[in-house]
Structure formats: structure tokens, C-alpha cells
Amino acid sequence: MKTESKVIRKITLAILSTVFCVGAFSCQDDIRTDGYSTNDVPELLPLSEEQKAVIAYLPKNVIIAHRGTEFWAPEESEAAMRWARNMGADYIECDLQKTKDGVILALHDESLLRTTDIETIYPNRKNDYTSAFTFDELLKLDIGSWFNEANPDQARASFVGLDILTLEDVLAIAEGKRIKRDANGKRVVNRDAEGKYVSTVYEPDPADNGNRPGVYIETKAPYLFAGMEKALHDCLEKNGWYADNINDMKKIAYKDGKKGEVDIANTPARIILQTFSPSGLQNIKAAFPRLIPTLFLCYDFSGSPVNYAELINFAIENGATIFGPNIDYVTGYPTSLTPWQGDMIRRSGLDIHAWSFNTQEQYFKYTGPWCDPQKEGGADKNYLDGSFTNLTDLALRFYKESLQAYADKGLNYFRSNAALGIEDNIHKNKTMRTAQEVLDELGY
């Protein structure tokens, strides 16, 4: 925090500066507008050796399919997740809720009103939390029809009747599978002796193109789901996606034994966890004996270097390996990734995965070209090691074509993947198709 004497000194300096600004130029030309002073650089905590080791195996320039997609299919549905996998996303992202009977869901909202037909199916329970329902009760809900009504240009008849996913469903989709369904389109499940839901039956996805993305998981408010992080640990361990010894994680099979264009699921970076919650970050660290790649999400309304440093230091102190600022894409949420903020994160050593990108203009702004008036190039001008997007197709085109065009002209802004022995532009050789073509291939 600035002391009163510092404030007075700054005012005095400003007045003196004004006195000398005569004739040659306007003082407005020499006033910083980003709120950051290089004379007031907060101290940042050092990363642990374990954090450095995790960051070293994280791939750079990755595309994270936010909820699968919010644009081309109903968010966090089987259609959205299969689409993101086949489209070429490096990670498919989901949020976690938990049912009354302990099933971990891939669902964003605590309420079911926005994305289901709960008002029709359970009119007297429409305002209940998701956690008040068993999974069998939730399987009666339709999570696709609302999307068709809200997005007529992207509507497809096959979205009607889509059901709520579990975290295990998302893991299976990342492995190239799909939910097995009966003649009526209902999922086939395993039940215990009392008829209670145990698990879903999966089958090889006939439209699987061999891509094996990682899975990016956001835990929600800890006060709603006591023990969620421990349950998450157990679910990932049971399915082979996490092990206390990194070498004990299962090998995820390829289609016909041939590696696809995306294979993050077969690397130590296969799972990344994320949370906005300070206590959630602490819970993740406590629940996983081996440090797992973890993102601390933030939005910063203060614009203060001191406050921003406190957020970064909290992330470091509690085991985060990635910092997750927002860009300026939502009204009322100013960006938390101005150049001075990006420079501070870079100085900390944390990776940067920012949210959420829906236009090429946004990508240009944060990956270097628009932050490089001298046209020098350089990865230091790129403030993204990864980006969340609802439009994996658009993001692929940006990296594969637009940003690559700069590199071809000698202005390389890609973050380096040299330590991993792979190309900096991991999208360079990916197959480009339209979003509609991929949905058609998947049978939607």
C-alpha cells in the first residue's frame, strides 16, 4: 500500500513535471495509463522445485475447449465434448457439481434452471440445487432443447434429449469412447443389487479420430460440496488418470494403435485442475499427494500491483502452477491481463492460461502482434501459454494460420515447447475442418 508521504511526493513530482512541459510536447504524451510503476515492484515468492518441475512438462500454446463449446452445441453435453475432442482441442474443460447420491457431474451451474427443462419435469423442485437430486432423477432432464431455442442458427434436432454428463463420461470421451445407448437413446448403466446407479457403460466411438486431449477440471464452491477434492482424487485414480506415482497412470489406447493429432492424455499434463476459490486451492493441494498442474483463476478489479502480487503469491504459496486472469470480453469485468500484469506473472514463473477467447482480435491482442509496435517478435510479448475458448475451430485457425504467418515472416511469438521436444506451434499440422463438418461426422 502507498503511504501518505509517497502520495504527496508523487503529487509534487507531477506538479514539477507540468512546469517543465512547455512548448515542445504535451505532457499527456508522457503519462502512463496502465496504473503500473516500475519503481513500485512488489516482491514475489519463489516457486518450489516441485512447481518448477510441473511447469516444465506443461505444453505451451494450448487450446482449452471451454465446456466443450458453448457456441456449437449445448455446453458440457456429450455432443460438445465429442466435438471438442474431434475438432482438435488440447484440453476439454468441465465444471464439477455433485449429486445427492455422490455422483460427480460435469455441469457448470448450481441451479438447473438455465440449461435444463426442470420447470417441466420437476416444477415444484425447480429452484433446488443440483445437489438435491440423485443422478437417476437428473437423467430425466433434457439439457439440449434450451440450446436450440436460444441458438436457432446452431440448432440441431439431435441435441434434443441430451442428458447431463458425469466426470467419468468426460474422461471416457477423452479416451475416444462414447456413452452406450439403448434403442431409445437412453444411456446403458450398471446398477447394484438395490437398483442404484453405479456406473455408465461406454463403447468405442465410431467417429473417434484418434485425438486424446487432456481434461481440464474446475471445482466449484467448497462450501457446497464438502470433500469434493478428495472425491475428485479418488475418481481420477480409479480411472487411471491420476496416480501418486506419475509413472503408474494408465496408458490410454489409440484408435487402431495409431497416435492422433492430439495426445496430451498420454502425458503427465493429462489433468489440470482449476478453481476461483482460495479454500478450494488449498483443498486441492491437500487432496493430491503429488503436486498436480493447478490453475488459480482470478479477476482483479483493483488494478493495483500490490493486490495483484498478493493474488500471485497466494497462488504460489498454495501449490498453483498456472495463473488464470480474464481478458476483456465480458462487460463489467475489465481485463486482468494488461501488459504490466502479464509481465508480473511472467516474473513469477507461473504459466498463464487466460479466459475466454471468442475472436481472432482477442488472440492478436494477447499473443504478441498487437503488443509489439516495434515489430521485434519474441515469445516474451506473448501473454498466453494456454487459452480458454468456446470456439476451438477459430482458435485453431488463429494459431495454424494467423500467428504462424508472423513466424513465417521472422516474427515468432510462440511460447517455446523446446523442453518437451515438440513444435512450438503444436497446431501447425492439425487437420482443419469446419465446426459443422465435425458435428456431421459425429452423427449430430
Side-chain angles (χ1 to χ4, degrees):
M1 298 291 288
K2 296 181 178 67
T3 63
E4 185 175 346
S5 60
K6 284 185 178 180
V7 173
I8 292 172
R9 186 166 64 252
K10 287 189 176 184
I11 293 173
T12 303
L13 289 171
I15 293 171
L16 289 173
S17 177
T18 303
V19 170
F20 288 104
C21 287
V22 291
F25 60 89
S26 165
C27 280
Q28 292 299 316
D29 295 334
D30 198 40
I31 294 176
R32 295 187 68 110
T33 59
D34 60 9
Y36 179 67
S37 168
T38 53
N39 296 319
D40 184 19
V41 180
E43 183 177 352
L44 299 176
L45 295 174
L47 296 172
S48 69
E49 291 305 310
E50 193 174 14
Q51 284 171 308
K52 291 177 184 177
V54 170
I55 292 168
Y57 67 63
L58 291 175
K60 315 305 179 190
N61 312 304
V62 295
I63 294 172
I64 306 152
H66 184 239
R67 306 182 198 174
T69 176
E70 287 184 315
F71 188 83
W72 292 112
E75 64 181 67
E76 305 202 48
S77 65
E78 186 176 24
M81 296 301 180
R82 291 174 71 209
W83 177 85
R85 179 199 67 201
N86 276 31
M87 194 75 235
D90 301 298
Y91 288 90
I92 51 178
E93 190 256 6
C94 65
D95 307 272
L96 298 189
Q97 304 285 336
K98 193 159 64 171
T99 66
K100 184 179 180 179
D101 52 339
V103 177
I104 302 178
L105 305 175
L107 185 70
H108 182 269
D109 293 2
E110 298 155 10
S111 165
L112 294 157
L113 283 168
R114 181 175 66 89
T115 60
T116 79
D117 59 346
I118 190 169
E119 291 179 278
T120 299
I121 305 302
Y122 301 113
N124 295 325
R125 302 173 66 187
K126 64 182 181 180
N127 293 315
D128 287 0
Y129 284 139
T130 303
S131 55
F133 296 83
T134 67
F135 186 55
D136 275 327
E137 289 175 328
L138 292 178
L139 283 179
K140 297 176 183 178
L141 300 179
D142 173 355
I143 69 165
S145 293
W146 74 272
F147 177 87
N148 286 351
E149 295 168 8
N151 305 279
D153 290 341
Q154 285 85 256
R156 291 184 176 230
S158 54
F159 293 159
V160 175
L162 289 172
D163 54 18
I164 289 175
L165 293 189
T166 68
L167 174 58
E168 289 189 326
D169 295 340
V170 177
L171 297 177
I173 291 167
E175 293 179 11
K177 302 170 186 174
R178 69 177 184 182
I179 297 168
K180 186 174 183 178
R181 298 186 181 275
D182 62 22
N184 297 314
K186 300 298 182 183
R187 70 168 63 202
V188 178
V189 303
N190 297 310
R191 298 186 180 279
D192 63 17
E194 298 177 352
K196 294 180 180 177
Y197 173 86
V198 175
S199 61
T200 292
V201 178
Y202 305 106
E203 63 184 7
D205 190 337
D208 171 30
N209 64 355
N211 287 343
R212 298 293 179 263
V215 178
Y216 215 122
I217 301 167
E218 181 179 350
T219 61
K220 310 306 286 186
Y223 62 86
L224 285 176
F225 305 112
M228 171 64 92
E229 293 81 8
K230 177 61 167 61
L232 173 58
H233 167 279
D234 294 347
C235 177
L236 293 175
E237 187 173 58
K238 182 184 79 171
N239 286 278
W241 278 71
Y242 168 84
D244 292 346
N245 183 329
I246 207 166
N247 296 316
D248 291 338
M249 293 190 295
K250 75 177 182 183
K251 174 72 175 179
I252 295 170
Y254 304 123
K255 183 177 183 180
D256 302 324
K258 182 180 178 182
K259 185 186 295 187
E261 295 177 345
V262 177
D263 193 32
I264 289 178
N266 277 308
T267 74
R270 65 177 65 186
I271 288 289
I272 301 179
L273 304 183
Q274 58 175 323
T275 183
F276 276 106
S277 167
S279 60
L281 185 63
Q282 293 168 327
N283 291 346
I284 289 171
K285 185 180 180 183
F288 288 83
R290 171 174 61 81
L291 187 67
I292 193 166
T294 307
L295 169 74
F296 187 49
L297 292 156
C298 87
Y299 42 84
D300 174 40
F301 291 117
S302 70
S304 159
V306 172
N307 288 347
Y308 205 71
E310 287 176 351
L311 288 170
I312 292 173
N313 282 337
F314 181 85
I316 293 171
E317 192 172 25
N318 289 281
T321 55
I322 313 165
F323 204 65
N326 64 298
I327 64 167
D328 48 355
Y329 85 108
V330 176
T331 302
Y333 282 74
T335 182
S336 297
L337 192 56
T338 58
W340 72 260
Q341 290 165 320
D343 288 341
M344 190 182 290
I345 304 170
R346 288 284 177 234
R347 186 161 60 86
S348 77
L350 294 171
D351 271 7
I352 303 173
H353 290 181
W355 52 283
S356 289
F357 290 78
N358 295 314
T359 69
Q360 287 225 354
E361 288 74 20
Q362 290 167 338
Y363 273 110
F364 275 119
K365 182 174 181 180
Y366 292 94
T367 55
W370 289 7
C371 296
D372 186 21
Q374 303 303 318
K375 296 296 182 286
E376 299 168 332
D380 60 310
K381 299 176 180 65
N382 184 341
Y383 293 117
L384 299 180
D385 296 297
S387 59
F388 294 84
T389 180
N390 295 305
L391 295 162
T392 295
D393 50 322
L394 177 144
L396 279 172
R397 187 163 285 107
F398 172 77
Y399 280 109
K400 184 178 174 69
E401 299 174 0
S402 301
L403 201 61
Q404 183 60 44
Y406 280 90
D408 292 341
K409 295 175 183 177
L411 294 175
N412 183 18
Y413 297 104
F414 288 100
R415 301 292 294 170
S416 175
N417 278 313
L420 298 176
I422 59 176
E423 288 194 83
D424 294 345
N425 184 3
I426 59 176
H427 314 291
K428 187 175 182 179
N429 298 313
K430 288 182 181 177
T431 303
M432 277 302 307
R433 289 161 298 160
T434 68
Q436 296 92 336
E437 285 173 338
V438 174
L439 285 169
D440 290 342
E441 291 171 6
L442 291 166
Y444 294 107

